[in-house]
């Protein structure tokens, strides 16, 4: 039995959900998101809760049960509070600045990197060494943060590069003389 799948997802006030076939659409103050579940699970809306149940006892049905419940919970979280990833720039001369709809990164390369910000996420730069990526879809927020980080991943000797705020960089000892 899926421990996650057994729990129903509560809909807070101001959030409405509608079901058409296997597609659930959740509307809230921040926007609208939808998810299409596989035929292995059944989604039902009972007033202020959404529950997911498996259609059989096969391994795939049990796998989809927990995953589908988590996806529905992410829809509700996304339209109410949203998702956020924080990035830090470490290194001498590493800077970020916002110019319109473009994130300009100075990362010690021979040229500045211009990163075009997608329309479905919001990027803010509170300090020159901090980048905050926010949005309602957790996959898009994580993907944009990963694309920014991919320009200069943190290296293990000095820790220079773009890292997630809660990420720990394992340090290596340098060459011995």
């Amino acid at each position: 039995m899926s421990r996650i799948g057994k729990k129903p997802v509560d809909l807070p006030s101001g959030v409405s959900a509608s079901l058409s076939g296997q597609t659930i659409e959740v509307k809230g103050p921040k926007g609208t998101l939808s998810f299409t579940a596989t035929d292995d699970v059944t989604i039902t809306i009972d007033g202020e809760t959404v529950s997911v149940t498996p259609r059989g006892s096969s391994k795939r049905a049990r796998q989809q049960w927990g995953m589908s419940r988590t996806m529905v919970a992410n829809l509700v979280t996304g339209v109410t509070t949203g998702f956020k990833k924080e990035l830090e720039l470490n290194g001498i001369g590493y800077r970020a600045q916002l110019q319109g709809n473009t994130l300009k990164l100075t990362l010690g390369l021979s040229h500045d990197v211009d990163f075009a910000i997608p329309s479905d996420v919001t990027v803010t730069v509170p300090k020159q060494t901090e980048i905050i990526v926010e949005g309602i879809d957790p996959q898009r927020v994580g993907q944009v943060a990963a694309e920014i980080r991919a320009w200069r991943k943190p290296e293990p000797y000095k820790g220079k590069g773009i890292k997630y705020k809660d990420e720990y960089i394992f340090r290596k000892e340098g060459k011995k003389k």
Side-chain angles (χ1 to χ4, degrees), residues 2 4-5 7 9 22 24 35-43 50-54 60-75:
S2 172
I4 294 171
K7 295 186 214 168
V9 179
Q22 287 293 93
I24 184 167
F35 167 69
T36 304
T38 60
D39 291 332
D40 297 315
V41 294
T42 305
I43 300 174
V50 178
S51 57
V52 180
T53 53
R60 180 168 161 78
R62 290 192 317 261
Q63 290 170 342
Q64 294 295 319
W65 184 18
M67 191 270 306
S68 298
R69 189 263 178 210
T70 303
M71 293 297 285
V72 172
N74 282 346
L75 298 181

Side-chain angles (χ1 to χ4, degrees), residues 2-3 7 15 18 24 51 56 67 70 72 85 87 102 108 110 119 122 163:
S2 172
R3 291 183 182 162
K7 295 186 214 168
V15 176
S18 61
I24 184 167
S51 57
M67 191 270 306
T70 303
V72 172
K85 289 270 187 186
L87 299 165
T102 305
S110 62
S119 60
T122 310
K163 71 177 192 80

Side-chain angles (χ1 to χ4, degrees), residues 117-138:
I117 300 167
S119 60
D120 53 350
V121 295
T122 310
V123 175
T124 55
V125 183
K127 292 189 221 166
Q128 286 186 339
T129 58
E130 280 184 26
I131 303 169
I132 298 174
V133 182
E134 295 175 300
I136 61 172
D137 186 5

